[in-house]
Amino acid sequence: MRNFELSIREKSIVCIGFMGVGKTTVGKLLAQKLYRNFIDIDAEIEKEFAMPIPLIFETYGEKAFRQKEKELISYYSQQPLYIISVGGGAFLQKEIQAMCLENCVVLFLDISWESWKDRFQILSDNRPLLRDRSMDDIKQLFHERQTIYSLNHSTFQIDHFEAEEAAIYLADALKLSWEIHAPQR
């Protein structure tokens, strides 16, 4: 546990949002533009279990997955200069919310339901929470999670941006914000 406060420039940035919004894709590009390390918590969980997430859910259950997710986020949220992509359900855990909001800059990548629906076909095969759910159930889940994702430091509406454009915009906005918050000499 750190016993000192990081400056806003040093704090890691956590990308939250609904599954398939682009947290990993945009996060990787943003990390490059800000010269930071990138970590995808879901990818790290897959490495730890040596299997893909759907198989982790089948073999060990969601509880084991969520515990490992919390451990990794706890560690990385306390490290400086990371861009951290967390799974769509991670922020549902109150402990993870508190850790991220206290230690990091939480960036909500928001998307409209209509734009997200256009991505459904490419997402449905490898997302355990989408399996065996109707579109109405998924829509309800989407809207329920919007309330949770509203607990953030900054929201970026991603609907009309390609990943590269979003990363450029976010990098510029963050750099400007850091200049505004820099201590005066």
Side-chain angles (χ1 to χ4, degrees), residues 1-14 36 74-84 99-105 153 178 181-183:
M1 197 80 159
R2 285 191 329 260
N3 59 0
F4 60 91
E5 183 77 21
L6 291 173
S7 74
I8 188 114
R9 286 176 185 240
E10 296 172 310
K11 285 187 174 193
S12 287
I13 298 167
V14 175
R36 289 177 175 234
S74 176
Y75 173 77
Y76 284 107
S77 71
Q78 296 181 59
Q79 305 306 309
L81 302 173
Y82 270 90
I83 303 291
I84 305 166
M99 278 186 273
C100 292
L101 289 166
E102 181 178 332
N103 299 324
C104 304
V105 174
H153 296 111
W178 294 333
H181 289 97

Side-chain angles (χ1 to χ4, degrees), residues 115-133:
S115 291
W116 186 87
K117 273 195 328 189
D118 293 342
R119 300 177 183 201
F120 177 75
Q121 290 307 319
I122 58 173
L123 298 172
S124 59
D125 289 341
N126 62 351
R127 308 289 171 144
L129 290 177
L130 295 180
R131 289 196 181 139
D132 303 323
R133 288 189 186 231

Side-chain angles (χ1 to χ4, degrees), residues 10-24:
E10 296 172 310
K11 285 187 174 193
S12 287
I13 298 167
V14 175
C15 298
I16 66 168
F18 200 63
M19 63 189 99
V21 74
K23 297 178 298 285
T24 297

Side-chain angles (χ1 to χ4, degrees), residues 10 41 51 72 78 95 100 109 123 161-162:
E10 296 172 310
I41 296 298
M51 62 181 66
L72 290 168
Q78 296 181 59
E95 288 178 76
C100 292
L109 298 181
L123 298 172
F161 286 87
E162 294 297 323

Side-chain angles (χ1 to χ4, degrees), residues 2 6 12 39 45 65 86 89-90 95-96 111 118 120 135 145 150 155 165 170 175 178:
R2 285 191 329 260
L6 291 173
S12 287
I39 192 81
I45 293 169
F65 174 86
V86 300
E95 288 178 76
I96 289 176
I111 191 168
D118 293 342
F120 177 75
M135 195 54 83
R145 289 191 176 180
S150 70
T155 299
E165 294 172 312
L170 288 166
K175 288 175 190 174
W178 294 333

